[in-house]
Amino acid sequence: MSRSLTDPATVREQYADSDNLNARVRLHLDHSVNPKDFVEWLFDQVALTEDAVVLEAGCGPGWLWRRTQGRVPASWQLTLTDVSAGMVGEAQAHLAQCGLEGDVCVADVQRLPFPDAHFDIVFANHMLYHVQDLPAALSQLRRVLKPGGVLYAATNGERHLGEIDDLLRSARQGLRWRFSKLSFALDESDQDLAPHFSHVEKRIYEDELRITRTADLIDFIASAITLDDELRHDLESVIQRRIDDVGHFYVGKHVGLLIARA
């Protein structure tokens, strides 16, 4: 597989709406070892200052706000953006369901339509590895932050979900879950941020997957890869044998949060 995570066609296909993301999130919610899910942990790292002007770039369907309902200060002024109109529509609906008010619009993080020094807090979670021009995106995020403002950017490491890559390669030569090296990976992302921000801190979220239902892992894989009948059968056989032998299919995680101060 040669598709790039920064390829616009791949991004449009994968994130036209939240269906593919939902399949992936379900696996993590149902089979993770850490009792505190990643979104809750992430929000624990945020300095909840009152009267903050807040941007989420790449908001997806608004999970950050759905999962932290009741914890968001009522005085926050929220703006949510995504390049996908489908995601923006879902985020707008979910924000209203949470009883939160905010502006939601289609926007590209590489060309943010906001004034300089406008936001106190910016979130950019699990999206910067989809950006074609990473320096431009980071420059834009820094530009819209006020002096002393904070960027919270979650991402994955190169070892993240490595066992799924191993599973796919064993089933069919050349097949991978991740189609290319991450352009904004946890391993080196602090170096990417350093030219734009005065202080960068990395925090690691400790977790792993112990998958006990074969169908859940198959759905996860099928959210990104088209499975023909033969490949699906081969994968199901390997996964089920592992579950029968040891009680679960183990998948390691390598995920964390970059906190960058303007």
Side-chain angles (χ1 to χ4, degrees):
M1 305 288 285
S2 59
R3 286 189 291 171
S4 166
L5 288 172
T6 61
D7 175 55
T10 299
V11 174
R12 284 195 299 272
E13 173 195 337
Q14 280 290 304
Y15 303 109
D17 56 35
S18 63
D19 287 351
N20 291 321
L21 282 176
N22 286 335
R24 297 169 200 166
V25 169
R26 280 196 299 270
L27 189 79
H28 290 280
L29 291 178
D30 291 348
H31 299 282
S32 290
V33 171
N34 192 327
K36 177 169 287 189
D37 100 332
F38 179 76
V39 173
E40 295 174 303
W41 173 85
L42 185 154
F43 213 67
D44 288 344
Q45 316 308 310
V46 177
L48 300 181
T49 55
E50 294 295 326
D51 302 318
V53 184
V54 179
L55 169 68
E56 184 181 16
C59 65
W63 281 327
L64 176 62
W65 312 103
R66 292 168 63 188
R67 301 303 300 278
T68 56
Q69 189 173 354
R71 299 182 61 186
V72 180
S75 59
W76 276 15
Q77 300 176 45
L78 299 179
T79 299
L80 279 60
T81 70
D82 201 284
V83 293
S84 165
M87 291 292 195
V88 163
E90 292 187 48
Q92 181 75 73
H94 291 145
L95 206 62
Q97 291 169 11
C98 295
L100 295 171
E101 295 183 358
D103 296 323
V104 187
C105 64
V106 175
D108 187 338
V109 70
Q110 299 165 104
R111 294 175 293 276
L112 290 173
F114 307 113
D116 295 354
H118 186 67
F119 296 100
D120 301 289
I121 295 171
V122 172
F123 294 99
N125 295 320
H126 289 111
M127 53 80 68
L128 287 169
Y129 44 64
H130 289 303
V131 172
Q132 282 195 302
D133 189 341
L134 180 61
L138 296 178
S139 178
Q140 285 287 293
L141 294 172
R142 173 62 185 87
R143 178 185 66 79
V144 301
L145 270 170
K146 297 177 182 178
V150 184
L151 168 68
Y152 296 93
T155 190
N156 302 325
E158 290 296 341
R159 301 192 305 276
H160 188 61
L161 308 184
E163 289 75 14
I164 296 179
D165 267 343
D166 295 342
L167 170 68
L168 293 171
R169 279 195 295 265
S170 70
R172 185 167 295 178
Q173 186 175 6
L175 190 61
R176 295 192 65 199
W177 162 250
R178 280 198 309 271
F179 305 118
S180 62
K181 181 179 174 65
L182 292 176
S183 59
F184 185 76
L186 188 62
D187 317 68
E188 302 171 350
S189 48
D190 49 344
Q191 299 174 34
D192 296 317
L193 290 163
H196 305 274
F197 295 88
S198 61
H199 177 77
V200 180
E201 179 184 356
K202 183 187 301 184
R203 298 182 185 177
I204 306 298
Y205 173 70
E206 300 292 343
D207 199 12
E208 62 188 49
L209 292 169
R210 296 182 184 178
I211 301 161
T212 56
R213 294 191 298 269
T214 295
D216 292 354
L217 182 49
I218 292 295
D219 288 345
F220 181 92
I221 294 169
S223 72
I225 297 172
T226 301
L227 302 180
D228 57 48
D229 290 343
E230 180 182 3
L231 179 57
R232 180 181 292 268
H233 177 267
D234 291 346
L235 291 172
E236 287 175 340
S237 298
V238 173
I239 296 165
Q240 191 60 53
R241 281 200 302 272
R242 187 81 55 81
I243 292 173
D244 291 341
D245 287 345
V246 300
H248 63 266
F249 189 101
Y250 167 84
V251 177
K253 294 187 187 184
H254 185 207
V255 61
L257 179 67
L258 280 298
I259 302 173
R261 303 185 185 279

